[in-house]
Amino acid sequence: MYRDIVFALRTLRRDWVLALCVAATMVLGIGANTAIFTVAYSVMLRPLPYPDSSGLVRISGGATFKRYETILAARSLSGVAAWNVFLSDVTMSAGGAAHDSAKAVRVSANLLSVLGVPPVAGRGFAPGEETDGSCPVMISENYWKLRFAGDPAAIRSAVRIGRVPCTIVGVFATGPLPFPGVDVWLPIQPASVLPQARLHSPMLALIGRVRAGVSVGRANEEVLALNEAYARANPSALDAKRGRPESIAPLREQMVRGVRPALWMLMGAGILLLAIACANIACLLLVRARSRAREIAVRLALGAGRARLMRQLVTESLILALAGGAAGIAVAAAAVRRLDRIPGLDLPRAAEIDLDSSVLLFAAALTIGAGILFGLAPAGIALRTALMNVLRESGETTASGARAISRLFAVGSGSALVVLQVALATVLLIGAGLLVRSVERLAKVDLGFDAGNLLTMRLTLPAGQEGPDFDALTTRLESLPGVRGAAVTLTLPTAGFAGTPVWPVRQSPPPLNERPIAVLQTVTPGYFRTLGIALRSGRVFTQRDSGSSPKVAVINDALARRFWPEYPRESPLGQTILAGASPEPLEIVGVVAGVRQAGLTEPAQPGVYRPRAQAPPMSAMLAVRTSGDPLRVANAIRGEVQAIDPAGSVSGVKTMRGLLNDSEARRRGITMLLALFSAAGLLLAAFGTYGVVAYSVAVRTREFGIRRALGATSAAVLRLVVGQGLRLALAGAALGMAGAAAFSRVLEGLLFEVSATDPVAFGVVALLSLAVAIGASYLPARGATRVEPVAAIRGDR
């Protein structure tokens, strides 16, 4: 083996250009696959960094406090913790200085013990602190270091959350918690929640730990039984679902279910790119085998065994693969460190993505496997070359010897590899084309409102208070230069939403959990004007819709069609509906256009709007319409918020266009990555086509000379050579389109208003493949037209 390695290095040093091309191709294939595998393994496969993390399970569905108490009785679970699904923005002040707003969540006191992790400093919440009216606070390690410089004295220090005095009791580690990005933990205090919400609002998310010796399946059976019992005892509760009760799933799987299909798709694209790279390298090695035909024949004649020669040739391939693989791993490490620069890849567990021993083992196995794969075929074909034919013809001319072996393997095998490369590149290109078409369709979708010149931000509400005077705030904001309108709402389009069960009063209402769910918005009067939502009929809210006036609602046309099938001929104006668990009816005073609240890919859902004065929101978003660049008024808006309420603040300042882009950023990021893979695959396929056609021209020089001597024109020779590349591309494109028809089904979850067999994408990719093949064949074809007939026939070329 040592002699094989030394001999391989000596021969590769002579063919350093070829070695460099092979290594560079390997860098592309191994680098891309290692980077994608690093992400997929870290996000989907690596165990969570908690003790016995396989025992952590997420109990699906939102839960009321009552259902939470029911699940606590599960004997197969050693602990069940809860947190409020509605994250909030708070301001924390210490020593009289107000900090920037921080994202906060309320959790049960036992959450850390269920996860199995101690606090980094201080302590966790005590059980009594959920009911004793105190305000203990835990902060994240990142927040502790950023705001308190990691000072241990920060523990047990007095702070204010809004206007409420609190005490920092501990620091929790920043990690893959079920709610990333949270810096402040507060205990769940049921007494602070309205009784109606405690009974009817499934505001809690549940996590549990399976008891040692109990399987997840057994725990799931018990939870299902408890859910069924709860549903029988509380038939109208929103979280009581008989016949389709919530179950449990491993926490790791639940955390990554939203990105799993996309990551597996990118893994498949990486494997296709590696296959293209291997085929490309095999083409290069076939050409190299041509120049070594005499060497191999002589060694066979002198008694070398074919197995011995096979080992020598595969050793050379492995050295090339290992060199390229090592560089590819370095490229992958650099790429992984820059993942945060790719828009939309806001992956769960992003902080854990790195190259560990498992990733390096995968990269090493992939490199060795690829080296053997692209080395075996050329070596095997070279060793099958007829020994006497090569020795006999090698004594004549280099060209005649080349013709002998080219007939045996080089051109035919190379052509098959080119067809394979074009086919695989076509599959990648069609996948990227379908996603690009989807992104184009998304850019043209009807939003239901005007997103231009619109600034958005979150308003941080002081804890324990009703909040700022929103009407006064919007009035002050509308007086600012360049501001055309301002409004406060519970949520903004594509930024999540709250749902509420609705039902028309004129019909006998079914149980609460059987009523349709509508998007609930509580807004100030200028909301519809500020967002540019069209009024279909009736009126929108005014200042007269106060807390003491009759309860009113505005619905969208999707809800109108849901309950009044003859709409718009049958008007819902003046009718009354029930919203939520409240028995108080709401009079419908207006109908507006539907808005894509759940995202650009989702149609407008039934929605009901209530005036803020009659239904104070749990949180608030601010929308400001401007006459120019919205970001120019951001600082002025901050000043007005502080003037209205010094304990309040704004955060998450973005234009509505930016908010819309964020909602589909993951799709765009995946499209960009797949497009990069496709471009790389197409480039490799072009090089492969060029190499095979150029080699074919080289071994057919005498033939072209004879053709020219017999009167063939340059155009005829050009058509002959380009036709060879075109035929390869046609075969590869046809094979690739057949494969893409199956592969593109994987993309269906990422497509929008585009069929997985979209004829436009397939047609454009087919034309692109043919154009690239013509371009790759043209240069060697031009060389064939310059062959001098006399020199070629004499064998001088």
Side-chain angles (χ1 to χ4, degrees):
M1 181 60 71
Y2 173 76
R3 288 196 299 271
D4 284 346
I5 293 173
V6 172
F7 181 75
L9 292 174
R10 190 163 62 246
T11 56
L12 292 174
R13 185 174 59 185
R14 290 198 302 268
D15 294 335
W16 64 272
V17 175
L18 179 137
L20 190 61
C21 291
V22 171
T25 306
M26 278 294 292
V27 168
L28 188 62
I30 297 298
N33 276 273
T34 302
I36 293 299
F37 178 79
T38 301
V39 174
Y41 174 76
S42 300
V43 172
M44 297 191 300
L45 305 176
R46 181 181 290 163
L48 294 174
Y50 301 127
D52 191 21
S53 62
S54 61
L56 288 173
V57 293
R58 173 71 187 273
I59 302 169
S60 62
T64 58
F65 281 94
K66 195 166 186 178
R67 178 170 172 246
Y68 174 38
E69 293 168 357
T70 301
I71 301 298
L72 283 173
R75 289 178 294 179
S76 57
L77 301 176
S78 60
V80 180
W83 67 89
N84 195 323
V85 295
F86 297 107
L87 305 184
S88 59
D89 293 287
V90 299
T91 54
M92 179 184 292
S93 58
H99 290 162
D100 293 337
S101 61
K103 194 167 289 296
V105 65
R106 289 191 175 272
V107 303
S108 60
N110 63 339
L111 180 60
L112 284 179
S113 63
V114 170
L115 292 175
V117 292
V120 173
R123 64 171 178 84
F125 297 133
E129 290 173 331
E130 294 177 320
T131 56
D132 63 6
S134 63
C135 181
V137 175
M138 291 189 69
I139 58 176
S140 72
E141 188 175 11
N142 284 347
Y143 193 81
W144 182 42
K145 292 177 179 178
L146 179 65
R147 298 301 183 189
F148 299 96
D151 185 1
I155 312 300
R156 295 181 298 279
S157 64
V159 295
R160 283 185 175 270
I161 303 294
R163 299 189 182 93
V164 179
C166 303
T167 303
I168 297 177
V169 297
V171 177
F172 63 88
T174 303
L177 300 166
F179 26 80
V182 171
D183 286 321
V184 175
W185 287 9
L186 298 166
I188 292 177
Q189 295 177 323
S192 65
V193 181
L194 295 175
Q196 193 81 341
R198 285 203 303 272
L199 290 173
H200 298 289
S201 179
M203 62 175 59
L204 301 180
L206 306 182
I207 185 176
R209 179 175 286 279
V210 177
R211 196 177 298 277
V214 178
S215 67
V216 174
R218 173 68 187 88
N220 187 51
E221 291 175 2
E222 184 179 10
V223 169
L224 287 174
L226 290 172
N227 279 329
E228 281 285 355
Y230 172 76
R232 288 193 298 270
N234 305 274
S236 64
L238 288 175
D239 56 350
K241 301 178 181 179
R242 297 197 65 185
R244 51 186 184 92
E246 307 290 0
S247 59
I248 67 175
L251 178 61
R252 185 182 64 185
E253 294 182 11
Q254 189 276 336
M255 290 175 66
V256 302
R257 64 182 179 182
V259 299
R260 184 184 293 112
L263 289 179
W264 282 125
M265 184 272 294
L266 289 176
M267 280 288 293
I271 294 298
L272 290 180
L273 180 61
L274 181 61
I276 296 172
C278 289
N280 193 278
I281 294 171
C283 283
L284 293 173
L285 295 183
L286 281 172
V287 175
R288 183 169 184 262
R290 167 201 170 195
S291 65
R292 300 184 65 185
R294 178 173 172 78
E295 171 204 331
I296 292 172
V298 169
R299 294 179 72 179
L300 285 171
L302 293 177
R306 292 183 182 271
R308 177 71 179 80
L309 289 176
M310 178 69 78
R311 191 180 75 184
Q312 170 65 56
L313 295 174
V314 172
T315 298
E316 294 178 13
S317 300
L318 282 174
I319 289 176
L320 290 171
L322 290 172
I329 293 172
V331 169
V336 166
R337 287 195 294 270
R338 289 166 175 79
L339 277 176
D340 56 345
R341 300 184 183 180
I342 299 178
L345 288 187
D346 51 340
L347 299 171
R349 309 181 64 186
E352 297 178 73
I353 299 176
D354 62 352
L355 275 71
D356 63 4
S357 57
S358 299
V359 174
L360 293 177
L361 184 62
F362 166 83
L366 199 64
T367 299
I368 294 172
I372 294 174
L373 177 66
F374 67 66
L376 277 179
I381 294 173
L383 291 175
R384 289 200 300 272
T385 304
L387 173 62
M388 293 310 296
N389 287 345
V390 174
L391 291 176
R392 186 182 300 116
E393 296 200 25
S394 65
E396 299 173 7
T397 65
T398 304
S400 61
R403 286 196 304 274
I405 61 171
S406 69
R407 286 194 300 269
L408 289 169
F409 68 93
V411 175
S413 302
S415 298
L417 290 171
V418 168
V419 170
L420 176 63
Q421 290 181 71
V422 174
L424 296 177
T426 300
V427 172
L428 288 176
L429 282 167
I430 289 176
L434 291 172
L435 288 176
V436 169
R437 292 265 292 158
S438 294
V439 171
E440 290 177 348
R441 293 292 182 90
L442 283 169
K444 300 175 182 177
V445 73
D446 181 13
L447 302 172
F449 66 97
D450 180 10
N453 292 344
L454 198 60
L455 188 67
T456 70
M457 60 194 72
R458 286 189 300 273
L459 286 175
T460 300
L461 304 179
Q465 301 292 328
E466 194 173 303
D469 185 341
F470 291 129
D471 292 332
L473 174 62
T474 55
T475 300
R476 293 180 65 124
L477 293 180
E478 289 179 345
S479 67
L480 291 174
V483 173
R484 295 164 48 196
V488 174
T489 176
L490 177 61
T491 59
L492 285 165
T494 73
F497 63 90
T500 186
V502 293
W503 194 260
V505 173
R506 68 175 185 173
Q507 302 177 25
S508 177
L512 196 63
N513 58 6
E514 295 181 13
R515 302 176 193 177
I517 300 297
V519 175
L520 173 65
Q521 292 284 29
T522 58
V523 301
T524 54
Y527 178 76
F528 304 102
R529 172 175 52 86
T530 300
L531 265 71
I533 300 173
L535 178 65
R536 302 298 193 204
S537 60
R539 68 173 180 87
V540 294
F541 302 133
T542 67
Q543 298 295 342
R544 294 192 302 271
D545 297 313
S546 63
S548 59
S549 63
K551 301 298 185 286
V552 296
V554 170
I555 65 173
N556 66 7
D557 45 16
L559 184 61
R561 286 190 294 269
R562 172 66 177 79
F563 290 126
W564 290 272
E566 299 299 319
Y567 172 83
R569 285 181 296 173
E570 181 185 8
S571 175
L573 297 179
Q575 304 285 337
T576 54
I577 60 172
L578 298 174
S582 172
E584 188 173 17
L586 310 175
E587 180 186 355
I588 299 173
V589 297
V591 181
V592 297
V595 172
R596 292 179 181 261
Q597 185 74 35
L600 299 183
T601 61
E602 299 294 327
Q605 298 173 291
V608 58
Y609 298 86
R610 299 194 63 189
R612 183 222 54 90
Q614 296 180 358
M618 296 171 289
S619 61
M621 300 287 289
L622 180 65
V624 178
R625 173 79 61 187
T626 65
S627 56
D629 181 4
L631 293 174
R632 290 184 177 179
V633 300
N635 288 333
I637 293 172
R638 286 192 179 94
E640 294 298 333
V641 171
Q642 290 289 316
I644 289 289
D645 192 330
S649 69
V650 300
S651 58
V653 178
K654 288 184 180 179
T655 64
M656 178 55 75
R657 293 292 184 192
L659 203 62
L660 295 176
N661 289 337
D662 287 349
S663 69
E664 292 300 323
R666 181 171 293 166
R667 186 191 310 271
R668 289 185 171 89
I670 291 169
T671 300
M672 184 180 73
L673 287 177
L674 192 57
L676 288 174
F677 285 3
S678 303
L682 186 63
L683 185 63
L684 290 176
F687 282 143
T689 303
Y690 170 83
V692 167
V693 174
Y695 176 71
S696 174
V697 168
V699 300
R700 297 171 65 188
T701 301
R702 184 180 179 86
E703 173 195 334
F704 291 135
I706 294 174
R707 287 177 179 270
R708 294 296 304 277
L710 293 177
T713 64
S714 295
V717 173
L718 194 69
R719 285 195 301 271
L720 178 67
V721 177
V722 172
Q724 178 189 353
L726 194 58
R727 286 191 296 274
L728 296 177
L730 280 170
L735 185 62
M737 291 173 73
F743 174 76
S744 59
R745 305 289 180 186
V746 180
L747 296 175
E748 285 185 335
L750 295 170
L751 301 182
F752 175 70
E753 294 185 356
V754 175
S755 167
T757 55
D758 180 59
V760 175
F762 276 66
V764 169
V765 168
L767 291 176
L768 180 61
S769 299
L770 297 182
V772 169
I774 292 173
S777 306
Y778 180 75
L779 290 177
R782 285 291 302 273
T785 62
R786 297 191 182 98
V787 172
E788 292 293 336
V790 175
I793 294 172
R794 288 177 176 173
D796 296 336
R797 290 192 60 188

